Structures are given as structure tokens and as C-alpha cells.
Amino acid sequence: MEENRSQTELSGSIDSVIYQNEENGYAILRMDVDDGSQVTVLGCIPFAAPGELMTVSGSWVRHPSHGEQFKAEFVERTMPESADAIYQYLAGRTVKGIGPATASMLVTRFGIDTLNVLEYHPEKLCEIKGISPQKAKEMSAQFRQQAGLRRLIEFLAAGSIRPVIAVRMYQYYGECALELVQENPYILASDMIGATFAEADALALSHGFSGDSPERVAAALLFELAYNARGGHCFIPREKLADATAQLIAVDRSLAAASLELLLESGEIVCEQVANVQGCYLSRLHRDETYTAARLLAMAAEEYRYTPDFAAITAQIESQLGIQFAAQQKEAIELACMHQVIAITGGPGTGKTTSIRAILALFESLRLDTQLAAPTGRAAKRMSELTGQSAQTIHRLLEAGMSEDHQDIIFHRDEEDPLTCDAVILDECSMVDISLMSALLRALPAECRLILVGDADQLPSVGPGSVFSDIIRSARIPTIRLTEIFRQSAGSSIVSYAHAINRGEHPSLTRNQGDFFFLRRTDPAHAVETIVELCARRLPENMGIPAAEIQVLTPTRRHETGSVALNIRLQAALNPPAEQKKERKFGETVFREGDRVMQIRNNYDMVLKTASGAACGTGVFNGDVGQIVSIDLSAETLTINFDEKYATYSFDMLGELEHAWAMTVHKAQGSEYCAVVLSVGRAGPMLLTRSVLYTAVTRAKSLLIAVGDEEIANSMIDRQRQGRRYCGLRARLCGECGVAP
């Protein structure tokens, strides 16, 4: 595309919108220029609509196919002013609930005052036949929200900040969002909004904040802690925090240290001696970690002196389940009988599920009301299937939601309103971060028992902390390690390879037999072709495994064999476009009826319904996988089936979804699939580790086919250590924490 760099200014009105990317605001428009000509304008012009008046500054470019176009760098927009332009603007369904017919009635009744009535005098809308007070209120709210959001998007776009950040800011702060950002742009870098510090910083500096302003230094310190929390750290050593902050914003270290002192005084940051380190915590993480340690230690101190006839109960449970327990499983049952909290860990095939079923039967015999829970929906569903008892996610168990100001996650079950059960059995504990564990413990009644089950060698939680590993390593919580591989699993290549990988051995990957196969494909393009062929043809046709029961896993999102590229290819092969399938483009992603999709952030307010339309709960959570069953283009909604619970998304919420034909190993943790196709290819060193490979292999229930380079697989086995996480739970459990000097 050729470009003429000389700056030009054009004024006119939008005739039509050719293309609009709702995620980043990029648009291609036809604009009627005041001189009578019509031009194609392209640039960041979010929520553009026909009829708007617009002045654009930029330069002319020549596209090889589409000819001369105007590339807008700066845009000044005003709402339409004439009655015809207002009608055109509203008739284009810019405002939900207003189409051509309603737009005609509004403009006929109110003329050039229509938009003013919509925003400030919605009660007047009821003068039009068919518009009820409720509908008038909804239409006005939609228009005010869009107007406020558009003003915020335009303000942030001037600082090159993504419109999705503006949308999130407006969702949390509503009509106050623009004023808050103008007062302190660093609010954009908070956990809940998600802008990078660099984005917020550039905006602040461009609006007069000095490079060494107190707001900037404090925001940088808090950002460093929040950023590292997303990487799994509960705290950062004090010296490292001051150094990293000074380097991040290029200020003298003394300024960072002085600002840190102020944040310590205000309580936003807490510093405490953790083993031999002065650890600086965000206050919420310090609170979660200290509470978790104190509650676990208190529970561990409880030992039930009166116990029933253990041998008789064990024999009864064996008879009931038709199982003869191994010695370690009997030990697990006995620990559960004697202690308020215990941990059970073990690799695949070592009987963790059997132990859960046995302890559940034990608690039933003791007449204890027991709740089963897991960190993810898929893990909870699998727990239900294996035990025959209802299980739910921790979030659902605790009735998670958002606070009224949408700034914080709240759990309705807590110390004030605890769970009404006598015991909780929690599976897949390696996935539980410190905040979620703290929330669960706060909701447990004083006498409630807690059984923690998981594989400590799997990947740690995505959130901060290494909770399950720290609990086991502390040796302060009664723990049983299951090591015996049982007969029904001993013949499985998946199980034997998983244990070999965990021991650091290199299994013979080319010995394709049983339920594990390795297909050597060192060329990424060839590997992708093989993966697609396996899912679309070879496994369904040759082995009778439907595509719905096949999950493609990969260590990374990036590169040719990462989840993003694989999802594009798999969608084309498994759910190609068809005349009867509706679809909707969001950014660069096309969502189509029949697609397998994943929720990628927690949405606590989403209402779930049954197939008949009855409400059946709220909340869709990060990692939940479902299928798009319908797309309503006129209502601008998309409906997803999450295990027979249906959630409806408006099109502006599609940023919460991504395709799930392929997913990263981290996203698959806690799930089990009939067949797994594992991509073993290029990725960042932190992703090519033993625990990633081990976790991937243990996701397969009946069949695992790895496709890629065995040298990469072997290098993953050799790379044992994860990056060290700064977390103090083990030290707290062992009494190695104190007030920092």
C-alpha cells in the first residue's frame, strides 16, 4: 500500500460502515465529504454509525486492489444533528431496541431533539404508542451507555489504548469511568481493568503527570506486585521490588523506596519476614496467605480421639464398593477418620479416585453431610461421574459474584454465612491458588472436615501461590502419598509413560502400542496437517472416536503449532462455513454455530438456563468449555451450551470467548479427555518443562497421540524445575515468618 505522508483534513458525515472491528475499534467507512465527494476512510473509529458528523486528519494511501483511501490518524466526531441524519443513525440499529420503524416514530415525534430526549428525558418516549416506561428506560440506558462508552473510547484511543480496555473500565465504573481516568490514568493498570502499565503510563505522561510524580511511582510499585501475582508470586522480596520499580519507570531507587514506605504505612502493601526474605505483599494476598496458614494449622491440631471400629468400617466399605483396598488406601481412610484435614497425593493410576469414593462412603457411614468440589467445571463434572455424587466448582459452592461496584469478587458463603455441611472433599488441588483456598476455608464451619486430593507433580495454579505443594512440603498437615500403580492401570502406556516422565526418564516414544503413540513430525507445517487429519478423519473413521471426544493440547498459544493457529485450522476442518450456519466476526475471530469455545475470564453474573428456559444458576468461569448452539444476528446475541446449561452472550461480550478445538496444557489442567492429540513443537523455554509434558500426558483417558519432535519432548523431560515462586505458605505452616524490620 503506497502512502502520501502529507497531512490532510476532511469533514463530512458517515454514509455507511463497510467493516467494524468491535475489539480494537478499527473501521472502514464510506464518508460523504462536505465538498460533495465520497471517500473511503480507514482507522480507529470505534462504534461508527451512519449519520455521524466527522472531521478526520490523516493522509491518502493507495491500496493495490481498492484504490485511493484516506487513512485517519485523528478523528473528531459529533452526533448527527439533522432529522434525516438522526434517523439514519438510529435506523442502523446503533442503539439496541431501536430499528428503522422505531427510529422513524422517534424522529417524527421529536425531530432534531430526538437524541437529547433519549439521553436526558426518557419519560417523553412513552408519548409514542408501543413504548412502555420500562422500554423507554432500557432504550435511554442503552443510549447513555453507548454515548459514555464512546467518549471514553475516544479519550483512550488518543493515547493508543485498546478499546477493549475502555469497555472493561466502563463496565466497572459506569458513568464515572472517564472522570476517574482523567484524574488518575494509572487506574487502567489495575487487576480488574487489565491495561499494561506502559499504556497507563503513556496516557498519564501525555496528560501532564511528571516522571517522578508520587502517583506514578506508587502505581509502578503496585503494578510490579500485581504483574508478578499473575505469574504466580504471592510476594516480591523488598530489595527486588524497589529495584524493579526504579528500573521500570527510570527513577532513582530512593524514590521507589520512599514511595514503598508510604504504601506500607497506608496498608496497601504489607512487608513481613518470610524465612530469610523480607517479602512485600499486596495486602489482599498477605491476608489470604496468613488466614490460610492459620486455619489449616488449627484444623491440623484437631485429632478425633473417639473413632469407630476402623477395621469393621473398612470391610463394610470394601463390600459396598466391591473393592479390596491396598495398604496406602486403607491408611488414607484411617487418616480421614482421625483428622479434620488431610492431603492425598499421587500420580495417575495410583487410586486417588478410589480413595475419594472410599472416604465419601466413610463419611456417609458417619452420617456426615459431604460436599464434593473441584476448581473447574470439567473437573467437577468428572468427579461427579466417577463418584456418582453431585460435585460443583469451588466458585459455585461458595456462590461467587461481583461486588455492587464491580471492582471485587465476593463469595456469599464466608464466615458470616458458612456452608451447611460436615465435610468437603476437594479434588485437583494443585490448581487451587492462595486466594481461592482462603475463600474456601473462610466458608467452612468450625467443625467441618476437609480432604485435599491432587497430584503435586502437575502444574501449579495459574493464580498466585503453590498451595498444594506447600501444604505437602510443610509436613504439618497429615498426608498420604499414593505410589502403587494398580493392575487396571499397570498395562496402560499412558500411565507408565507418565510415571517415567515424572521420574526424569526418557521413555521409548517411537514404540507405538496400546494407548500411546508418537508421530514424528519435525516440520511444523507437516505436524499441523497431521493433527488436523487425526481429528477430522483418522480417529473418527479408523478408531470410531468422534471429534467431540478428541482434545488437541499444546504447550503454547504462539507459533504454528500453538493453540491460536491450530484453532483456525481445526475450525475450518471440523466446522466449516455453511449456508445454514450463522456466524459473527469479532476482531479477527469468526464465531460460528457449532463451534467449540472456552470462557477465558470469570463472569460471575452470567445467568444460566436449562433447555426449557428455566434459570439454573449464575456464573461462567475461566476454562469452562461449551458449544455455540445459536447466533441471533438481529438480537446480537450468541447462545452456548455448557453441559446442558445455556448462557447467552451479547456480541460485545465475545472478548470473553475463544475457540477450544485446541487449548494450552495449562487450560486443560483438571480435565480428562477420551482422546488427546498433543502437539510437541516450538515454544518458550518456560513452557517446555517436565511438569507441562507430565500434565499433558495425564489428561488422556483412553488414547494419547503426540505429534512433533521427540528431541523437544526429551528436552522437556530434562527441564525439571519450574521458575521459583515467591510464596510463604510453607514457611508460615512451619512457623518461619515474622514481622519484617
Side-chain angles (χ1 to χ4, degrees):
M1 183 181 288
E2 299 177 7
E3 184 169 346
N4 180 353
R5 280 293 181 182
S6 61
Q7 291 291 301
T8 305
E9 184 175 280
L10 302 175
S11 295
S13 63
I14 299 174
D15 172 70
S16 59
V17 179
I18 300 170
Y19 172 75
Q20 178 79 71
N21 185 319
E22 294 181 20
E23 187 174 9
N24 60 25
Y26 180 79
I28 302 175
L29 316 170
R30 294 294 292 172
M31 177 179 173
D32 290 328
V33 185
D34 289 345
D35 64 8
S37 64
Q38 190 177 74
V39 301
T40 299
V41 178
L42 49 98
C44 183
I45 312 172
F47 293 116
E52 284 188 79
L53 301 177
M54 185 169 67
T55 298
V56 292
S57 300
S59 55
W60 292 98
V61 296
R62 178 168 292 279
H63 191 279
S65 302
H66 304 295
E68 196 169 51
Q69 300 175 328
F70 190 84
K71 183 178 180 181
E73 296 179 10
F74 300 97
V75 182
E76 182 180 342
R77 300 158 66 182
T78 57
M79 297 300 285
E81 297 175 348
S82 70
D84 286 345
I86 291 171
Y87 167 76
Q88 190 179 11
Y89 174 80
L90 294 176
R93 300 187 185 278
T94 305
V95 179
K96 283 185 181 178
I98 302 180
T102 305
S104 178
M105 290 189 289
L106 289 171
V107 175
T108 300
R109 176 68 182 82
F110 301 112
I112 61 174
D113 201 35
T114 298
L115 299 183
N116 183 59
V117 169
L118 260 177
E119 186 163 7
Y120 300 110
H121 305 288
E123 69 280 357
K124 292 185 178 181
L125 299 175
C126 299
E127 297 172 11
I128 295 175
K129 186 177 180 181
I131 298 182
S132 65
Q134 181 62 30
K135 185 175 181 181
K137 183 179 179 181
E138 292 172 355
M139 289 162 55
S140 179
Q142 283 285 339
F143 181 74
R144 287 199 312 275
Q145 179 184 15
Q146 186 188 95
L149 177 57
R150 196 178 74 167
R151 284 191 285 268
L152 179 62
I153 287 175
E154 290 168 357
F155 175 78
L156 296 183
S160 300
I161 294 177
R162 299 159 288 158
V164 67
I165 298 299
V167 171
R168 209 171 294 156
M169 183 73 191
Y170 197 88
Q171 285 174 338
Y172 288 122
Y173 294 105
E175 296 177 1
C176 301
L178 180 57
E179 181 182 353
L180 289 171
V181 171
Q182 290 171 333
E183 288 178 359
N184 184 4
Y186 294 103
I187 194 173
L188 297 171
S190 67
D191 275 356
M192 302 306 295
I193 307 304
T196 66
F197 179 81
E199 288 174 320
D201 194 40
L203 184 67
L205 294 175
S206 70
H207 283 76
F209 283 76
S210 65
D212 59 356
S213 69
E215 295 92 344
R216 185 174 189 243
V217 182
L221 284 161
L222 293 169
F223 172 78
E224 281 289 345
L225 288 173
Y227 176 81
N228 281 280
R230 291 194 289 272
H233 301 288
C234 290
F235 69 84
I236 297 297
R238 185 169 184 159
E239 295 303 311
K240 285 181 178 288
L241 177 59
D243 290 341
T245 301
Q247 184 176 358
L248 175 69
I249 57 175
V251 298
D252 191 273
R253 187 185 181 284
S254 62
L255 278 178
S259 182
L260 177 56
E261 288 294 339
L262 292 176
L263 289 170
L264 291 172
E265 288 179 17
S266 72
E268 291 181 77
I269 295 177
V270 177
C271 186
E272 189 173 8
Q273 192 78 22
V274 181
N276 298 317
V277 176
Q278 288 187 43
C280 287
Y281 292 78
L282 291 171
S283 60
R284 60 178 175 83
L285 292 180
H286 181 265
R287 182 174 62 249
D288 290 339
E289 191 178 270
T290 53
Y291 181 87
T292 297
R295 184 69 193 274
L296 286 173
L297 286 172
M299 293 175 73
E302 286 290 328
E303 185 171 336
Y304 301 108
R305 296 180 181 178
Y306 168 76
T307 57
D309 187 333
F310 176 72
I313 282 188
T314 303
Q316 177 187 335
I317 296 172
E318 286 179 326
S319 175
Q320 178 183 333
L321 300 180
I323 297 172
Q324 186 171 356
F325 297 129
Q328 290 176 335
Q329 291 174 323
K330 288 182 179 179
E331 185 179 350
I333 299 169
E334 187 170 9
L335 283 178
C337 198
M338 296 173 59
H339 297 278
Q340 189 177 4
V341 59
I342 71 166
I344 301 173
T345 185
T350 58
K352 293 191 299 296
T353 299
T354 299
S355 298
I356 289 174
R357 292 175 62 203
I359 292 170
L360 183 57
L362 167 69
F363 287 168
E364 287 175 352
S365 73
L366 296 176
R367 297 184 180 179
L368 300 179
D369 179 12
T370 305
Q371 292 277 6
L372 303 182
T376 67
R378 294 186 68 87
K381 182 182 178 184
R382 176 170 168 263
M383 197 179 187
S384 296
E385 292 169 348
L386 293 173
T387 62
Q389 301 285 336
S390 175
Q392 54 191 318
T393 64
I394 304 172
H395 285 87
R396 290 196 196 284
L397 180 69
L398 303 183
E399 300 175 19
M402 295 300 297
S403 60
E404 289 185 6
D405 59 7
H406 285 268
Q407 294 188 56
D408 298 299
I409 300 166
I410 59 173
F411 295 98
H412 294 288
R413 294 292 188 172
D414 55 16
E415 300 101 322
E416 301 299 321
D417 186 15
L419 297 168
T420 56
C421 60
D422 303 307
V424 171
I425 301 177
L426 181 62
D427 199 9
E428 297 291 350
C429 285
S430 62
M431 299 179 67
V432 180
D433 65 29
I434 192 66
S435 298
L436 196 53
M437 180 59 74
S438 173
L440 175 63
L441 291 170
R442 290 175 192 278
L444 295 184
E447 301 300 321
C448 187
R449 303 186 190 217
L450 178 62
I451 309 300
L452 304 171
V453 184
D455 185 345
D457 294 315
Q458 286 188 19
L459 291 167
S461 59
V462 174
S466 298
V467 175
F468 194 52
S469 174
D470 280 358
I471 287 172
I472 292 169
R473 290 190 303 116
S474 74
R476 296 302 174 93
I477 307 301
T479 299
I480 180 68
R481 292 180 179 271
L482 303 174
T483 57
E484 180 182 349
I485 301 175
F486 291 94
R487 186 182 308 167
Q488 61 269 32
S489 299
S492 165
S493 296
I494 294 173
V495 171
S496 61
Y497 278 27
H499 284 277
I501 290 167
N502 203 28
R503 292 191 298 268
E505 301 170 4
H506 291 190
S508 177
L509 298 175
T510 57
R511 192 184 68 217
N512 291 333
Q513 61 182 16
D515 54 10
F516 187 107
F517 297 86
F518 193 99
L519 305 182
R520 186 174 186 271
R521 303 288 189 271
T522 55
D523 174 56
H526 192 191
V528 171
E529 292 294 336
T530 300
I531 290 169
V532 172
E533 185 183 13
L534 284 166
C535 296
R537 187 179 62 81
R538 288 168 62 176
L539 293 183
E541 294 178 7
N542 299 340
M543 301 189 70
I545 303 175
E549 296 183 13
I550 304 168
Q551 183 60 57
V552 176
L553 299 181
T554 173
T556 182
R557 290 178 54 84
R558 299 173 55 228
H559 308 299
E560 288 180 75
T561 56
S563 61
V564 174
L566 283 169
N567 270 315
I568 294 172
R569 292 292 305 275
L570 289 165
Q571 183 195 35
L574 300 175
N575 191 35
E579 186 176 346
Q580 74 275 15
K581 293 180 185 176
K582 298 186 185 70
E583 57 183 50
R584 171 71 177 188
K585 189 170 186 180
F586 186 82
E588 299 303 313
T589 303
V590 174
F591 292 103
R592 184 175 299 132
E593 290 177 341
D595 277 349
R596 186 190 303 175
V597 292
M598 178 194 297
Q599 179 79 9
I600 58 173
R601 65 174 63 98
N602 292 334
N603 183 329
Y604 300 95
D605 300 324
M606 177 70 75
V607 176
L608 297 170
K609 296 183 178 181
T610 63
S612 63
C616 60
T618 57
V620 181
F621 304 109
N622 187 0
D624 285 353
V625 174
Q627 184 179 41
I628 299 174
V629 292
S630 65
I631 296 176
D632 188 329
L633 296 174
S634 60
E636 298 189 344
T637 60
L638 175 154
T639 300
I640 300 174
N641 178 0
F642 291 103
D643 292 326
E644 304 309 315
K645 294 179 180 179
Y646 295 82
T648 299
Y649 293 70
S650 58
F651 284 170
D652 61 3
M653 297 169 62
L654 297 184
E656 297 183 13
L657 299 169
E658 65 181 30
H659 285 114
W661 312 100
M663 67 176 71
T664 64
V665 177
H666 284 81
K667 287 289 188 182
Q669 193 173 358
S671 300
E672 186 177 68
Y673 310 97
C674 175
V676 167
V677 176
L678 173 62
S679 170
V680 183
R682 187 160 65 101
M686 294 298 291
L687 297 173
L688 296 179
T689 64
R690 183 186 300 177
S691 59
V692 169
L693 183 60
Y694 173 76
T695 301
V697 170
T698 55
R699 298 310 89 205
K701 181 179 180 181
S702 302
L703 178 68
L704 175 70
I705 301 179
V707 180
D709 190 336
E710 70 269 25
E711 290 186 8
I712 292 177
N714 286 331
S715 70
M716 292 175 76
I717 295 169
D718 294 337
R719 191 174 289 117
Q720 179 181 5
R721 293 186 62 81
Q722 294 284 323
R724 179 190 173 191
R725 289 189 169 192
Y726 290 113
C727 40
L729 181 59
R730 187 208 63 80
R732 293 184 191 283
L733 291 171
C734 295
E736 298 173 1
C737 290
V739 177

